[in-house]
């Protein structure tokens, strides 16, 4: 039973934290809700930062999770532009950077992740960028527009989702783009070589140059500005700007200093939580990018850095904090927009975990659905420019039913009829 005068504190002012605060109120919690964020902006959604906001199709005010007045209207106390510098689990307090100490009854950590940094000579030159926050995106939007006007060159280190989406945005502005990636294809660790090659072809058709099988070793400057970039194979690539798109690292320093259990790097890092999103401390929960959760459906711990996990994980953690019966077992889901391609991916199928990829539709026309199978069961599915099928794909993943690969590949067979038992 949660007392009416209890104080619930949320550390992290992103989507997961904002959704958790919203859920606490919608579930009838009448105690204090305090949301602390180290950015000065009210909680906002990050996917547009590398998509519509970066291309200029979306404006800043459209990114916010709630209207400006929502927090005051729902008695959610905001502490923005404030980092939490210390968590005292014994005293059940957090201390802010300005020295303020706040006591909690329940605590939710939604501290998110931060961009992995390039560790090569030349990163201090003007023209080296990362993308994680609104301020980064606003700066990068101006840079890309300027590169486009002046036939400038952007080099992107990393061919993951952020790297590819920024490449598409840069080509939208007319900038020249080179992507350096150690793996043999883009998105190698997510969609494998079979579909990684598909994304490479998509970007090549739009003028992006790839340099696979190597990594950035140095950024060369001239007059304090980026001039070129050197890769491990000795090649030098002309560049006026460099984007580090090397993935993100979970922000676990606060949890680690407080002695909470963490996942190992081999497990994906992050704060270890159970299927209710509770940490090793019964009064502390974690959700979003920073949480490495026991996944009942997959039978393993998993840390997921995608919008849906923050969108769904924040409310799940809030309900668990209220003592509700929670079992966080959502099928992992994410989406991407690149040029005229829109896609959704549901499930989890890392390279080495699946036996085959089955496709239905027309890959050449970029209208298809791909399925990753282990044996005769669907681990994951990706729909490309095909809509209203994500629920059916998630159902196949969730149920773990046997499927007939031939029926799965036949566009005339409804997905609901692909199962054989």
């Amino acid at each position: 039973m949660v007392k009416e005068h209890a104080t619930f504190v949320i550390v992290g002012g992103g989507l997961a934290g904002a959704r958790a605060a919203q859920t606490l109120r919608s579930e009838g919690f009448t105690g204090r809700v305090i949301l602390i964020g180290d950015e000065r902006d009210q909680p906002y959604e990050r996917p547009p930062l590398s998509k519509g906001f970066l291309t200029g199709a979306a404006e800043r005010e459209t990114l916010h999770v709630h209207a400006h007045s929502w927090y005051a209207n729902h008695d959610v106390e905001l502490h923005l532009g404030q980092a939490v510098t210390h968590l005292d689990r014994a005293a059940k307090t957090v201390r802010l950077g300005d020295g303020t100490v706040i006591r909690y009854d329940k605590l939710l950590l939604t501290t998110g992740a931060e961009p992995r940094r390039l560790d090569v000579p030349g990163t201090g030159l003007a023209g080296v960028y990362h993308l994680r926050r609104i301020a980064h995106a606003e700066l990068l939007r101006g840079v890309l527009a300027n590169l486009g006007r002046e036939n400038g060159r952007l080099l992107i280190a990393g061919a993951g989702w952020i790297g590819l989406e920024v490449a598409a945005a840069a080509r939208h502005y007319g900038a020249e783009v080179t992507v350096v990636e150690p793996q043999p294809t883009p998105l190698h660790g997510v969609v494998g070589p079979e579909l990684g090659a598909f994304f490479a072809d998509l970007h090549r058709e739009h003028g992006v140059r790839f340099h696979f099988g190597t990594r950035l070793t140095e950024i060369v400057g001239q007059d304090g500005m980026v001039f070129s970039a050197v890769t491990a194979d000795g090649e030098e690539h002309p560049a006026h700007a460099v984007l580090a798109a090397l993935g993100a690292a979970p922000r676990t320093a606060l949890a680690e200093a407080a002695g909470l259990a963490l996942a190992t790097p081999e497990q994906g890092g992050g704060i270890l939580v159970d299927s209710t999103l509770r940490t090793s401390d019964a009064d502390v929960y974690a959700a979003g990018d920073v949480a490495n959760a026991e996944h009942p459906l997959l039978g393993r711990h998993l840390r997921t850095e995608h919008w849906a996990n923050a969108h769904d994980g924040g409310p799940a953690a809030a309900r668990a904090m209220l003592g509700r019966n929670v079992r966080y077992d959502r099928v992992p889901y994410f989406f991407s927009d690149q040029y005229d391609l829109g896609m959704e991916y549901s499930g989890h199928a890392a390279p080495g975990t699946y036996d085959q990829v089955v496709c239905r539709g027309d890959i050449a026309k970029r209208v298809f659905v791909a399925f990753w199978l282990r044996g005769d069961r669907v681990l994951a599915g990706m729909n490309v420019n095909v809509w209203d099928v994500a629920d059916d794909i998630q159902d196949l993943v969730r149920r773990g039913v046997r499927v007939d690969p031939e029926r799965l590949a036949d566009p005339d067979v409804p997905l609901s009829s692909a199962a054989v038992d």
Side-chain angles (χ1 to χ4, degrees):
M1 179 70 68
V2 176
K3 298 178 181 178
E4 288 189 5
H5 60 269
T7 297
F8 283 10
V9 173
I10 302 167
V11 178
L15 175 61
R19 289 271 296 162
Q22 176 184 341
T23 302
L24 290 174
R25 289 305 186 220
S26 67
E27 291 281 330
F29 179 62
T30 58
R32 290 181 73 190
V33 176
I34 302 173
L35 179 60
I36 306 166
D38 61 2
E39 295 184 63
R40 295 193 179 277
D41 286 281
Q42 288 191 352
Y44 59 88
E45 304 201 27
R46 298 190 191 277
L49 299 186
S50 58
K51 300 180 180 71
F53 184 71
L54 194 58
T55 63
E59 293 306 318
R60 187 187 186 104
E61 59 270 15
T62 67
L63 307 185
H64 292 119
V65 180
H66 298 114
H68 182 79
S69 59
W70 184 89
Y71 299 92
N73 291 343
H74 290 82
D75 294 322
V76 174
E77 302 172 40
L78 283 179
H79 291 260
L80 299 177
Q82 285 280 5
V84 173
T85 59
H86 183 68
L87 163 58
D88 186 333
R89 291 165 49 207
K92 300 184 74 169
T93 61
V94 294
R95 184 172 68 239
L96 309 189
D98 64 1
T100 301
V101 175
I102 300 174
R103 191 184 183 283
Y104 65 84
D105 292 284
K106 299 287 185 181
L107 176 68
L108 174 59
L109 299 176
T110 59
T111 48
E114 58 190 0
R116 297 186 187 277
R117 305 287 174 170
L118 280 167
D119 185 18
V120 301
T123 54
L125 292 166
V128 179
Y129 303 97
H130 299 83
L131 179 58
R132 180 69 184 179
R133 301 186 171 200
I134 283 184
H136 298 153
E138 283 186 320
L139 177 60
L140 191 58
R141 183 162 68 173
V143 168
L144 297 184
N146 188 58
L147 290 174
R149 285 191 298 267
E150 299 184 0
N151 297 317
R153 296 175 179 271
L154 172 68
L155 185 135
I156 300 174
W161 294 113
I162 294 295
L164 294 189
E165 289 174 359
V166 173
R171 292 301 295 143
H172 163 81
Y173 286 106
E176 297 295 317
V177 179
T178 298
V179 179
V180 175
E181 168 57 49
Q183 297 292 338
T185 65
L187 305 169
H188 195 80
V190 181
V191 301
E194 301 89 350
L195 273 298
F198 165 81
F199 282 97
D201 290 342
L202 168 70
H203 283 268
R204 286 191 181 110
E205 287 187 17
H206 285 83
V208 174
R209 290 179 291 273
F210 286 101
H211 198 59
F212 292 117
T214 190
R215 59 184 178 83
L216 206 62
T217 56
E218 183 183 3
I219 304 171
V220 179
Q222 187 174 80
D223 299 326
M225 304 284 292
V226 169
F227 177 75
S228 65
V230 180
T231 47
D233 55 6
E235 288 202 27
E236 187 169 1
H237 306 266
H240 301 100
V242 171
L243 174 75
L246 306 175
R251 300 179 68 191
T252 58
L254 184 68
E256 183 176 11
L260 293 173
L262 303 181
T264 65
E266 292 74 23
Q267 294 173 306
I271 303 171
L272 278 175
V273 294
D274 63 17
S275 61
T276 72
L277 303 182
R278 184 172 56 189
T279 72
S280 53
D281 183 317
D283 292 320
V284 181
Y285 294 74
D289 291 359
V290 77
N292 193 311
E294 178 187 352
H295 200 293
L297 180 65
L298 302 179
R300 51 161 291 185
H301 272 80
L302 184 68
R303 190 176 71 84
T304 307
E305 296 173 2
H306 295 295
W307 172 88
N309 187 45
H311 182 273
D312 299 330
R319 293 186 182 99
M321 293 164 74
L322 291 171
R324 310 284 194 265
N325 185 21
V326 170
R327 184 175 183 264
Y328 188 60
D329 62 354
R330 294 291 188 112
V331 174
Y333 166 90
F334 61 87
F335 65 93
S336 182
D337 299 311
Q338 300 168 38
Y339 310 110
D340 58 352
L341 179 145
M343 58 74 65
E344 299 173 293
Y345 180 103
S346 301
H348 181 72
T353 65
Y354 60 89
D355 302 320
Q356 63 174 319
V357 179
V358 173
C359 292
R360 66 159 59 196
D362 194 327
I363 294 179
K365 293 182 178 178
R366 299 190 181 116
V367 181
F368 67 95
V369 184
F371 301 91
W372 285 260
L373 274 65
R374 181 170 60 212
D376 53 8
R377 302 178 192 275
V378 176
L379 298 180
M382 179 176 70
N383 46 299
V384 175
N385 290 335
V386 176
W387 306 111
D388 301 322
V389 296
D391 287 346
D392 290 330
I393 294 171
Q394 293 194 20
D395 185 60
L396 290 174
V397 173
R398 174 172 294 283
R399 290 165 54 205
V401 294
R402 295 173 55 239
V403 297
D404 179 346
E406 290 188 7
R407 294 175 65 80
L408 200 62
D410 187 346
D412 294 327
V413 175
L415 287 180
S416 58
S417 300
V420 295
D421 59 353

